[in-house]
Amino acid sequence: MRFMGEVIRGADASSSSTASPSPASLPSNIPLLSAFLAFALAQFLKLFTTWYKEKRWDSRRMIDSGGMPSSHSATVTALAVAIGLQEGTGGSTFAISVVLACVVMYDASGVRLHAGRQAELLNQIVCEFPPEHPLSNARPLHDSLGHTPFQVVAGAVLGCTVAFLMKNSN
C-alpha cells in the first residue's frame, strides 16, 4: 500500500510540472505572438482604410468589429500559418488551427455580414416610426459586424505575412 501511494504522488508531481508553461516561455511562443500581432496590426490598419474610404479619422475603428482588413481572419490565419511553419503541417495542432480559421472566416463573411445587414435594415425601419411609437427612441443596432469576402482575404494575407515575418525574424 505504501508503494502505491508513492507511485501516485510521483505521478502527480511529474504531471503538475508539465501542465502549465512557465511565464518565461510565453515570449517565445511564435504562433501566439503572431496571432496577437496580426490582430493588433489589422485593427490599426482600419484607421487608414476608414480614412481612405470615408475621408475622416475614426479612432473607434480600432476597437470595432467589421471593416478592412478583417482582424478575425488575420488572427486565425497568422496562428495557423505560424503553427504550420513551426511544427509542420502533419500534426493535429495544425489541423485544429486550420479548421478554426475556416470556421471563423466563413462566419465573418457569412453569418456576421448578414447579421450586420439586418441590423442596418432594422435601424432604417425604426427611423421611420412615428415619434409616439415606443421603439422610436431605441438606440440604433451596431451594424458593422461582418466582412466582405475581400476584407476576409485581405485579413488572411495580412495574417500569413505576419506569421512568415515572425518566423524569419526568430
Side-chain angles (χ1 to χ4, degrees), residues 68-94:
M68 172 73 162
S70 167
S71 58
H72 294 87
S73 299
T75 303
V76 294
T77 304
L79 179 66
V81 170
I83 288 172
L85 291 171
Q86 180 174 306
E87 299 178 9
T89 58
S92 58
T93 308
F94 178 73

Side-chain angles (χ1 to χ4, degrees), residues 136-162:
S136 65
N137 293 327
R139 212 170 55 189
L141 298 170
H142 186 69
D143 59 5
S144 180
L145 300 173
H147 298 281
T148 64
F150 182 71
Q151 293 169 341
V152 169
V153 170
V157 169
L158 176 64
C160 289
T161 304
V162 167

